[in-house]
Structure formats: C-alpha cells, structure tokens
Amino acid sequence: MKKLSCNGYKASFFWRSLPNKFPQHVPPPLHFLFRNLSQKPIFTHTLLHIKCIFITRGNSQVRAYTYLATQLFDKMPHRRVQDFKNAKGHEIFQLVNLVKESPYILSTSQAHGLALKAGMLAHLPTVTTLLIIYSSTKHFSSSLALFAEIISKDVVTWNAIMTACIKNKYFEFAAKFFAEMVNEGKKFDSSTLVIVVSALSNMRDLRKGMIVHCLSLKMGMFLDSLLGNALIDIYAKCSDLSSSECVFQEVECKDIVSWNSIISGCLYNGHPEKSLWYFKQMASLEKGADGVSLSCAIVASACLDEFSCGEVIQGWGIKLGYEESCHLSVANSLISLYSQSGDVVAAENIFNIMKQKDIITWNSMINGFALNGKFGEAFDALNEMQFIRTLKPDAVTLISIIPLAAEFMLLREGKAIHCFTIRREMGAELSVMNALMDMYFKCKRVTDAEHLFLNMATKDLVSWNTIISGYSQNGLCREAQSLLKKFHSWNSECSLSTLLGILPACDSPNSIQFGRLIHSWEVKLGFLNNIIIVNSLICMYISCGDLVASFKLLEEIAYIADVDSWNTMISGCTQKCHFSEALNAFKLMRLKFNINHDTITLVNVIPACGNLELTCEGKSIHALALKTSAGQDIRVQNALITMYGKLSDVESARVVFELCFHHNLCSWNCMISALAQNNNAKEAIEFFCLLEFEPNEITMATVLSAFRQLGVIRHGKQIHAHLIRCGFYKNAFVSAALVDMYSSCGRLDIARRVFQNSAERSVAAWNSMISAYGFHSNGQKAIEIFHEMIDSGLTPSKVTFINLLTACSHTGLVDQGYWHYTRMLDEFGVHPSTEHHVCVVDMLGRSGRLQQAYNFIKDLPSQPDPGIWGALLSACNYHGDLQLGKRVASILLLLEPENVGYHLALSNIYAASGSWKEAGELRDIVHLKGLKKSAGYSLIDVGSS
C-alpha cells in the first residue's frame, strides 16, 4: 500500500503495473479513456459523449485522479505540446474553450482530466483557461490547486490567478500573489497592475495603492489608459478625491471608462455637484455617454434636488438609445429620481415598462413608495417580490421598508417582517436587526426591543445607539443612563448618534447632574464644534430647568449659531412653558444678532404670545409673518388660529381660518378647539359637522369637550360609539375626554368605568378622574386616586394639582389640600403657579380662614395676580367680612378698575352688612362707567338621554 498526497487531498491506491491493471477506485470509463489516449486519437465528438467520468466521485478523489493521470503521463515519452504536433492536444484545447463558454463543474473536471492525460499541463493557454473556468464555477480552491501544479508560470498565468481571486472576493490573496510575483523576480505588465489596483481598491488599501502607482510610473506603464482608470477608481474609493482628480487630469487618452470613474468617484465621496459638472464636461466634448455615466448623472441630480436636470439627462439618454425599458442601471436611477421628487406615479410607470428587473429595481421602487408615505403599495411590492423565483428580498429591501413600519407604528407589519428575517435566516444581518429594534421602540414595544438586543450574537455601535435612543424616546431615562455607563465601560468609543441618543434622557431637574457629565464628555471628545450637539445640549438644559446654562451656551456659540440654534432655544422654552423667555430669545435673535426667522421660529413663538395673553405682541408677530412667505405656511396659520383662541379673539381666529388657501385636519381641529375654549360649544359642533376630513383622536377629544360644556350626554354617547367603531377609544387623551364628559354630565359611574377600562392611563386620564371626583364632592376619593397615580410611576403635572386642590376646596379638606400644596415643588418638581394660588386662597376662604388666606397672599414671593385677590374677595362676600373685603377690593380696583365683578362683589358685601348707601354708590358708579356683567344662562337637552 502506498499513501499519496496531492495538494492536501489524500487517496490510497493499490499500485501495480500500468496500464495493464488500474487501482480499484478508478472507474472503468477512466480505464477506457486512458487506454484510448495512449493508443489512438480521440475525436471531439467522442469526448462530448464521455459523461460518466467523475460523476460519482467527490472533490478529494478528483485530485487523486489528477495525480494518477500525472503518473501515467510521466511513464510516457515526454514531448512539447505547445505546437499541437499531436492532434489530441488541439482537440482538448478546443474542448476546454468549449467548456469555458458555459462553465459547469462536471464538464470542467472532465476536461481537466483529459488535459492531464494528454500531457497538456505544460500548455499554458490550456491550463490558464482551466484555471479561469474553475474560478467561474466558484471552485476557487481548484483554481489554487491547479495554479500550484503549474511548473513554469508566465505573466498571463499570474494575471489569471489574481483575477480568479478578485472574482471570488479574495482580494488579500490577489495582493499576496502580486507580492510573491515581485519577490520571485517575475516580469509583470500593465494588465497585472490593473488587476492588483482593482484588488486594493476593493480592500480600500490606499497606502499599497500609492505604492503600485509609484511602481507604474517607475516602469513607464502609466500611459496605459486602463491602469489610469483603475488608479482614478482606487483613489476615489479610498476617499482621496483630490488625488483621483489629479490622476484623471494626467490621463492623456480619456475614454468613457475614465469619465465614468471620475463621475462615479465624485458621487461616492458625496460631491454630486462635481459629478454633474464632470458629466456636463464630458457631454460638451461630445463624448458618448453610456449607462454608467447616465445613471451616475441622474443620481447626482436627485441628490442636488435638480429634478429638471435629471429629466433632461433622461431625454439625452433616450436620444442615445438608452431607453429605460431596456437598460437596468438607467431605469433604476430614474425610479430613485422620480421617487425623491415626489412623482411616485412616474417612478411606478418606469418600473412597469421595464422588461427586466433586478433586486436593485425592486429595492428602489419599494424605497420610493416608502419615501412618499405609500406604505400600502410598499408592502404590496414586497409581497409580490417574494413570488419571483429568481429574486429574493435582501437586507437592503428590508431596511427600506422597516423604517416605514416604524414611522407609521405598523406593529403587525413590522412583526411580519421580523418573522420573514427569521425564516430566511437573516438574523446575522446587523443592519436589519438594528432597524427592527428601532421599529419596536417606536411602536412602544420596549420589551420586544430589549429581547432582540439581548439575543443578538454580535452588536455594533449602531446597536448600542439604537437601544440607548429607544430608552430615551420611551421615557425610560434611568435605563438609558445606566446602559450608557455599561456601554462606556465596555467600549470607550462613541459617535455623534450616541450623544444625541442619551441627551433626551436628561429631561428633568433630577437629571441635571448627569446632563452636565455628558456635556463635559462632549467637550473632552471635541464635539462642541458640532452645531447639532450644541443645539441638543441647549434643549437638555431647558428640559432640566437650567435656563441660565442654556442661554450661556447659546451666547458662547453666537458666532456660529444659525436659525436652528435659536429655534431650539425658542421651542424648548415654549414646550417647557417658559413663554416669557421664548419671547425674549426671539427678540434677541432678531435685534442683536440679526438672524432671520423661519417657519419653525414663528410656529414656536406664536403660542408663547397666546399663553401669555399678549394680544399686541401676537398681532405684531402675525403682521411679521404676513410680510414673509412664512405667513402662507399652513403650520403658521394653524398656530395663529390657536393663539387667537387663547386670546379669546374668536373672530380673528375665524378670519385666519377663512383666509387659509388649503385647510388640513389640523386647521379644523384648531378652529373647533378655539370655539370650544371660548364657550362657543354650539358653534364648535356646527364646525365639526362641516368637517372636510376624516376626524382623528384630537378632533374627537375637542368635540367631547364641547358636549361637556353643553351637558348633552345623548350626543356624547353617539361620539363614544363612533370612537369604539374607529378604535380611537384606546387613545389616552380620548379616554380622558370621555371621563371628563361623563362626569360633567352627571354620570360618574360611566366615567369611572371608562377610566378603569382604559388600555393606557395617561396623566390626562388621571387628571380627569381626580377632577370628576372633586366635581361630585368626593374629595377623599380624589386624594386616593392621586396617590394611585403616584404609585403607578407617573409624575403629576400642574393640572393634576389644580384638580386636586379644587377637589379639596369643594369638600372642605383644607388641611389635606394645604399639605399637598406644600409638597408640590419639593417632591414632584411642580412650581406653584397663579392657578394653584387661586385654589389655595379659595380653599382657605371657603372654610372661613380669611385672615390666613390674606397672609398667604401677602407672603407670596411675586406680585399676586388679580385672580388671587379676586378669590379672596369672593370669600369675603360669602362670609360677609366687610373690613377685609374693603381692603381687598381697594387693591383690585387699582389693578383692574374696569372689572364689573369686583364692583358688584363689594356692593354685595356692603348690602349684606346693611351699608345700603355705600352699596348704592357703587351701583351708580357701575352705571356711570357703562360696565355690564355678562348674563348667566342655563341649557336643557330636549330629547331622550
């Protein structure tokens, strides 16, 4: 027994005399072949019928047979075969070329065996062709083994093996082969350098690419245009665009590939304007464009939003014969162009007329639907794509459609895509897993996102950024902060996205210290020159209540601050109810730094005027908006309607609404809300009946408020039924509005049932329930509900304490109410406002503690609002305290001399104490001034309830 090893493949044979007896593992057809090759010519048609050779043998045995055939060849008289003196050699070479036309591993192995039997191993063209065929059939290991068997290798052979490496994406092997070639002193040509540069380009190895560039200059090979084109490509792909452009200028004979390389290189490096410029230069020189250059130019036009330019290029392409129905790359680029321009119909037309579609075509169309919000069409395209046998959705397909499910919170569709990835075993695709995790977070499925993160085999920086940002978005601030610390201990590196993801987690005064640590970390990492980071820091400080730090930070970057920075400051102040500071920032932005406002600025500063009830300033900003194009923006117009509603100027709100060129649902919601807020409930309902859109949750909540004012439970029940049919009843704000409506209409039992059956209990729902119990004189139950809310993990708001204090006031729970008031700021971070002070004074006044109420007002840190004194005056009227009533009335009449209510309240106090003369004098003053009190009224609902 003799043990043989052939390039790592092992086989055992009985070795006896040849060719009288063959090894037992050699099949009979091979016996026939060997004997015929040694005795008589075998013609081509005979070779094509030998189909059984090696069919039943594995790859290792094929190598063993190769060795056996070599041994047979060695027993034969050695002769040169390059000149094909033997007819068999010529026929085998023809056969090898025949196999090359349609490569298949079985036919390739057969041809290889015949070539070895005929002694064609020394014939380099044959061996080189076989090497290339093995590479084409994805049997790269066979190419390597065959290359190792070649004794005398020329430059074509070396080029062939390096090309095989590149075809099979073994770029490092190609570079190593070139290094071995140079070390052995083998000669190379410009084609060799082109192949090597191509491999280095795929490796993004700029340093070695520059060495090859220098080598080409030294050897005088740079004049080869193919090599020049390859160098243009490698510099561009290694992000050295300037060097790529220099090489392009040095290339003397620029062909279409040269132009395509520089055009695509500019696009690759994020310079679409340069890409388009080179394309125009090429066109001006009357160089004929091809599919590559047309595709790149169309993509560059889309990137620059020059859609008309893209259409011109499309027309030129049609003139050159590149119709979108026949040329894939051009058609794919046009689909992207029209999708980005918003003309998804044109994109779909191109898609439909295409005779052939690839994976990029489908991905482009799905992405086009997604960009234009057509999620139904996007999912239909994905479903249709799965029934095409030759195409299957890839990672790019899923990454295009998962964000759509996330944006529209389509949890069911998102889960279906997740199942699809599991079924197709795409769990190793990090980009897909990260997108799915983001989708779960945006659909409020935090547990599912956590489960996905914990079960990921590998995690990259994007994975960590996604979960940190997801926690922040879902209000899990502590979890986000804890995870960042864990991530930092595991990996000291972070990206801009990491910092932008964690900053929203610092959203309360309790997080200010952590926010400052993040600020310090950003300074250390050198991110403070990034305007996006600075804007996020400003927002963070505002959320944490440190306005001084936010304004100081804005002043420090004033030299680079843009309108977005000021918008961040203004919007942050508005959202956190710092309305005066928002207006001050707006004035500072315009007067000191001379920065022009935009639509976002106005949308955020207009509500500040409304909440501060600054009519003059609000009208001034309205006039400012009309002077610019921002005045025509629907968002600004909606903000103005809301502002006038809060200013109780319903007529101005109506005028703005009527002057809108295009109403949207938000416009109608703002107008209905403005009417409802100003006790025009009947007109609000009339507007609702004229609604031109399908109502949403906000519409329904506003209309329920109108029915609450009217006390019309019959129509409220109809709205409730509609909400159940539409599925809106699950919305937390709608549930709160239903609780409010039923309790105001006297049905506390139904209000309680709605609250208990709510899928999600928001702060607004708890507030409504507290208010309902207070309204029905059950203050103790209101306090219990308040503590249940705290136990559930929610933080009470300003409105929560207003409702709680009102409930305590109406039921005489003075001590408990005052106890909760004193803990508002320290325990819950809610700063007492005018409304809270009014509730406390009313609560003390109702219980007869007038002097305590008076002392409470005098001890307030800021100037008391007239409403606070008004509450005390009402209490004096109720209890008939003339002396205190006179003192309070004198203060109020100085603050608001035209308020008829104060005059009448004091007059009633005089009358109750028997001072009819003073009471009559006050009545005369009211008549002389022409002051009138609004008439009261009552409503009844005629009909069954």
Side-chain angles (χ1 to χ4, degrees):
M1 178 79 69
K2 185 176 181 180
K3 192 85 167 180
L4 301 177
S5 177
C6 306
N7 300 311
Y9 299 93
K10 297 181 179 179
S12 297
F13 299 100
F14 267 124
W15 197 264
R16 298 185 181 180
S17 58
L18 297 173
N20 296 326
K21 187 160 184 175
F22 292 93
Q24 59 182 355
H25 294 99
V26 177
L30 195 59
H31 305 179
F32 166 78
L33 175 63
F34 286 165
R35 289 195 179 99
N36 276 278
L37 279 172
S38 61
Q39 295 173 9
K40 60 182 179 181
I42 297 180
F43 298 99
T44 303
H45 68 276
T46 309
L47 293 174
L48 293 175
H49 284 84
I50 302 174
K51 297 183 186 247
C52 58
I53 301 175
F54 299 137
I55 289 176
T56 61
R57 298 297 182 235
N59 197 38
S60 60
Q61 298 220 2
V62 170
R63 289 297 162 210
Y65 294 156
T66 301
Y67 183 85
L68 177 59
T70 306
Q71 295 298 319
L72 287 169
F73 174 73
D74 289 340
K75 295 286 183 180
M76 296 170 63
H78 194 71
R79 61 183 75 94
R80 296 175 62 85
V81 294
Q82 272 82 358
D83 54 0
F84 296 126
K85 290 181 180 178
N86 190 312
K88 287 188 284 295
H90 184 266
E91 290 174 357
I92 290 171
F93 184 63
Q94 284 184 330
L95 176 64
V96 170
N97 282 302
L98 208 68
V99 172
K100 184 182 177 183
E101 292 179 8
S102 54
Y104 185 59
I105 185 59
L106 291 178
S107 56
T108 305
S109 300
Q110 293 170 8
H112 187 180
L114 291 172
L116 290 169
K117 173 64 179 175
M120 298 289 287
L121 190 64
H123 187 252
L124 290 179
T126 301
V127 177
T128 304
T129 306
L130 281 169
L131 190 151
I132 293 170
I133 296 171
Y134 274 126
S135 168
S136 300
T137 57
K138 303 300 179 185
H139 280 70
F140 180 63
S141 58
S142 300
S143 295
L144 289 176
L146 182 58
F147 179 77
E149 292 172 3
I150 302 173
I151 299 169
S152 178
K153 306 176 182 73
D154 62 358
V155 65
V156 177
T157 312
W158 285 96
N159 290 352
I161 190 61
M162 286 187 282
T163 303
C165 292
I166 293 172
K167 277 186 178 180
N168 289 273
K169 298 184 179 180
Y170 291 101
F171 309 115
E172 296 86 354
F173 281 22
K176 287 178 181 177
F177 274 121
F178 178 68
E180 182 183 341
M181 186 180 181
V182 173
N183 292 335
E184 291 180 6
K186 303 291 184 182
K187 292 183 178 180
F188 57 85
D189 56 11
S190 60
S191 297
T192 313
L193 296 184
V194 170
I195 296 165
V196 174
V197 170
S198 176
L200 296 174
S201 176
N202 283 285
M203 293 167 62
R204 304 295 191 268
D205 195 332
L206 180 61
R207 188 179 64 84
K208 290 180 180 177
M210 294 173 76
I211 293 171
V212 175
H213 188 181
C214 294
L215 190 61
S216 70
L217 293 170
K218 182 180 178 181
M219 303 296 292
M221 297 179 182
F222 184 71
L223 294 175
D224 190 313
S225 61
L226 291 176
L227 180 57
N229 297 341
L231 288 167
I232 294 168
D233 182 67
I234 188 173
Y235 280 120
K237 285 184 178 175
C238 293
S239 303
D240 189 356
L241 186 60
S242 58
S243 297
S244 180
E245 290 181 285
C246 288
V247 173
F248 177 76
Q249 297 301 330
E250 292 295 324
V251 174
E252 293 183 0
C253 301
K254 298 179 180 67
D255 56 10
I256 188 66
V257 180
S258 311
W259 287 97
N260 287 350
S261 298
I262 193 65
I263 290 169
S264 61
C266 291
L267 196 60
Y268 180 84
N269 284 275
H271 292 282
E273 70 287 346
K274 282 189 175 183
S275 180
L276 208 54
W277 183 84
Y278 278 112
F279 179 80
K280 292 175 181 177
Q281 288 291 107
M282 182 184 73
S284 66
L285 295 172
E286 297 184 356
K287 299 283 184 181
D290 63 359
V292 176
S293 45
L294 288 170
S295 301
C296 290
I298 291 168
V299 171
S301 301
C303 292
L304 295 169
D305 291 340
E306 295 188 10
F307 304 117
S308 57
C309 181
E311 292 175 1
V312 171
I313 295 168
Q314 179 190 7
W316 191 43
I318 293 171
K319 186 178 178 182
L320 293 173
Y322 290 92
E323 294 184 11
E324 56 270 15
S325 60
C326 303
H327 292 83
L328 265 177
S329 61
V330 176
N332 293 343
S333 302
L334 285 170
I335 290 171
S336 298
L337 173 81
Y338 284 115
S339 296
Q340 290 183 47
S341 70
D343 191 356
V344 72
V345 175
E348 198 171 2
N349 288 338
I350 292 171
F351 178 81
N352 291 333
I353 65 172
M354 289 175 68
K355 295 178 180 177
Q356 186 181 2
K357 301 179 180 75
D358 61 3
I359 188 70
I360 299 173
T361 313
W362 284 92
N363 289 349
S364 299
M365 195 66 249
I366 290 171
N367 188 51
F369 285 133
L371 280 174
N372 291 276
K374 295 183 175 293
F375 57 87
E377 289 83 347
F379 283 105
D380 288 343
L382 177 63
N383 184 53
E384 185 182 346
M385 186 182 181
Q386 295 180 60
F387 293 99
I388 300 173
R389 189 174 297 176
T390 56
L391 288 175
K392 296 298 176 187
D394 61 0
V396 178
T397 317
L398 300 181
I399 291 169
S400 297
I401 205 163
I402 292 172
L404 194 65
E407 182 183 353
F408 290 95
M409 298 181 71
L410 305 173
L411 181 61
R412 186 170 62 88
E413 288 79 359
K415 282 186 171 181
I417 296 170
H418 191 180
C419 294
F420 178 82
T421 61
I422 294 170
R423 195 167 62 250
R424 293 301 174 98
E425 298 181 351
M426 297 174 72
E429 292 285 350
L430 267 177
S431 56
V432 176
M433 293 297 105
N434 293 337
L436 283 170
M437 190 161 49
D438 180 62
M439 181 272 297
Y440 280 123
F441 273 123
K442 287 180 178 173
C443 291
K444 309 299 180 186
R445 297 298 291 264
V446 176
T447 306
D448 292 333
E450 286 175 341
H451 182 74
L452 193 62
F453 178 78
L454 293 171
N455 286 281
M456 288 170 67
T458 56
K459 302 175 183 72
D460 59 1
L461 184 58
V462 177
S463 309
W464 286 93
N465 291 347
T466 303
I467 192 166
I468 290 170
S469 176
Y471 277 142
S472 299
Q473 290 169 6
N474 285 275
L476 300 171
C477 302
R478 290 182 181 177
E479 288 81 352
Q481 294 172 14
S482 175
L483 198 64
L484 179 70
K485 293 173 185 176
K486 182 179 177 182
F487 166 69
H488 186 54
S489 63
W490 171 73
N491 183 5
S492 59
E493 294 183 5
C494 76
S495 66
L496 181 66
S497 299
T498 314
L499 300 173
L500 293 175
I502 191 60
L503 282 172
C506 308
D507 63 345
S508 68
N510 296 330
S511 305
I512 185 66
Q513 192 58 38
F514 188 83
R516 285 171 181 159
L517 290 173
I518 298 296
H519 189 176
S520 302
W521 193 25
E522 289 171 1
V523 173
K524 183 180 177 181
L525 294 172
F527 277 115
L528 273 190
N529 290 327
N530 189 301
I531 196 70
I532 300 173
I533 280 288
V534 177
N535 293 347
S536 298
L537 281 170
I538 291 170
C539 189
M540 182 272 293
Y541 279 119
I542 294 171
S543 299
C544 293
D546 193 346
L547 294 180
V548 175
S550 59
F551 272 101
K552 184 178 179 182
L553 191 59
L554 184 59
E555 287 175 5
E556 288 175 359
I557 62 150
Y559 63 98
I560 61 167
D562 55 6
V563 68
D564 293 331
S565 306
W566 288 95
N567 286 348
T568 302
M569 174 62 75
I570 294 167
S571 64
C573 289
T574 301
Q575 289 168 13
K576 294 297 176 179
C577 300
H578 302 299
F579 304 117
S580 297
E581 289 79 2
L583 279 174
N584 291 335
F586 177 66
K587 292 173 184 175
L588 197 64
M589 164 187 160
R590 295 188 65 245
L591 300 176
K592 185 175 179 180
F593 295 98
N594 199 28
I595 294 177
N596 292 325
H597 63 270
D598 62 4
T599 302
I600 305 300
T601 318
L602 296 178
V603 167
N604 284 286
V605 80
I606 289 170
C609 297
N611 284 284
L612 292 172
E613 298 182 2
L614 300 174
T615 306
C616 184
E617 286 81 352
K619 289 185 175 181
S620 298
I621 293 174
H622 188 179
L624 183 66
L626 292 174
K627 288 174 67 177
T628 62
S629 58
Q632 302 301 318
D633 191 284
I634 190 64
R635 293 169 295 180
V636 174
Q637 292 171 334
N638 293 343
L640 286 167
I641 294 169
T642 303
M643 179 194 73
Y644 282 121
K646 289 185 177 180
L647 294 174
S648 302
D649 189 352
V650 177
E651 287 307 313
S652 295
R654 195 195 311 275
V655 169
V656 174
F657 178 82
E658 290 173 353
L659 290 176
C660 290
F661 290 109
H662 302 287
H663 298 118
N664 58 12
L665 180 58
C666 183
S667 309
W668 285 89
N669 288 346
C670 291
M671 193 63 226
I672 294 169
S673 178
L675 292 166
Q677 285 172 9
N678 288 279
N679 298 318
N680 291 335
K682 186 177 179 182
E683 197 172 351
I685 294 168
E686 290 173 357
F687 255 88
F688 173 70
C689 295
L690 297 172
L691 185 63
E692 299 173 353
F693 300 90
E694 188 69 28
N696 62 3
E697 294 96 326
I698 298 172
T699 320
M700 291 304 183
T702 308
V703 171
L704 284 170
S705 173
F707 285 127
R708 177 188 62 78
Q709 292 175 29
L710 295 174
V712 183
I713 194 171
R714 178 162 51 92
H715 296 307
K717 285 181 175 180
Q718 292 174 0
I719 294 293
H720 191 178
H722 179 75
L723 291 170
I724 293 171
R725 281 198 304 274
C726 297
F728 290 160
Y729 69 96
K730 297 178 182 178
N731 183 276
F733 293 101
V734 170
S735 296
L738 283 168
V739 170
D740 205 26
M741 187 269 295
Y742 279 119
S743 67
S744 297
C745 293
R747 294 302 302 269
L748 181 60
D749 55 332
I750 301 178
R752 187 189 300 114
R753 219 178 309 146
V754 170
F755 176 75
Q756 290 172 345
N757 294 329
S758 297
E760 179 188 355
R761 295 178 186 175
S762 65
V763 174
W766 288 96
N767 291 348
S768 296
M769 204 63 228
I770 293 168
S771 176
Y773 280 115
F775 185 75
H776 287 268
S777 302
N778 196 339
Q780 192 58 48
K781 188 64 178 177
I783 293 173
E784 290 176 12
I785 291 289
F786 171 78
H787 288 290
E788 283 182 29
M789 173 186 175
I790 302 304
D791 294 339
S792 71
L794 291 175
T795 303
S797 65
K798 168 186 169 182
V799 177
T800 312
F801 281 100
I802 292 172
N803 293 345
L804 180 64
L805 293 172
T806 303
C808 293
S809 175
H810 288 174
T811 53
L813 300 174
V814 181
D815 293 333
Q816 293 184 55
Y818 196 78
W819 185 86
H820 284 95
Y821 168 80
T822 57
R823 282 156 179 77
M824 276 175 55
L825 181 60
D826 295 336
E827 289 189 18
F828 305 106
V830 178
H831 290 267
S833 63
T834 298
E835 291 87 346
H836 299 113
H837 297 147
V838 170
C839 289
V840 171
V841 172
D842 181 64
M843 181 172 60
L844 293 170
R846 281 174 182 264
S847 64
R849 303 181 189 182
L850 300 179
Q851 191 58 45
Q852 187 180 348
Y854 180 79
N855 294 336
F856 173 81
I857 298 173
K858 297 297 285 185
D859 292 338
L860 288 176
S862 58
Q863 180 68 30
D865 190 85
I868 302 173
W869 288 112
L872 183 55
L873 182 61
S874 297
C876 292
N877 183 19
Y878 181 77
H879 291 285
D881 191 331
L882 179 60
Q883 296 304 318
L884 185 58
K886 287 168 66 176
R887 266 189 291 169
V888 174
S890 63
I891 296 170
L892 282 169
L893 292 174
L894 285 173
L895 294 172
E896 294 181 349
E898 302 300 318
N899 191 313
V900 66
Y902 303 150
H903 289 84
L904 296 179
L906 183 57
S907 174
N908 292 336
I909 294 173
Y910 278 127
S913 63
S915 302
W916 295 102
K917 181 182 177 183
E918 290 82 354
E921 289 174 354
L922 274 173
R923 296 276 178 176
D924 292 339
I925 292 171
V926 170
H927 289 300
L928 287 171
K929 287 186 175 182
L931 303 177
K932 290 185 180 181
K933 185 180 178 182
S934 300
Y937 60 91
S938 298
L939 294 172
I940 60 169
D941 179 24
V942 180
S944 60
S945 59

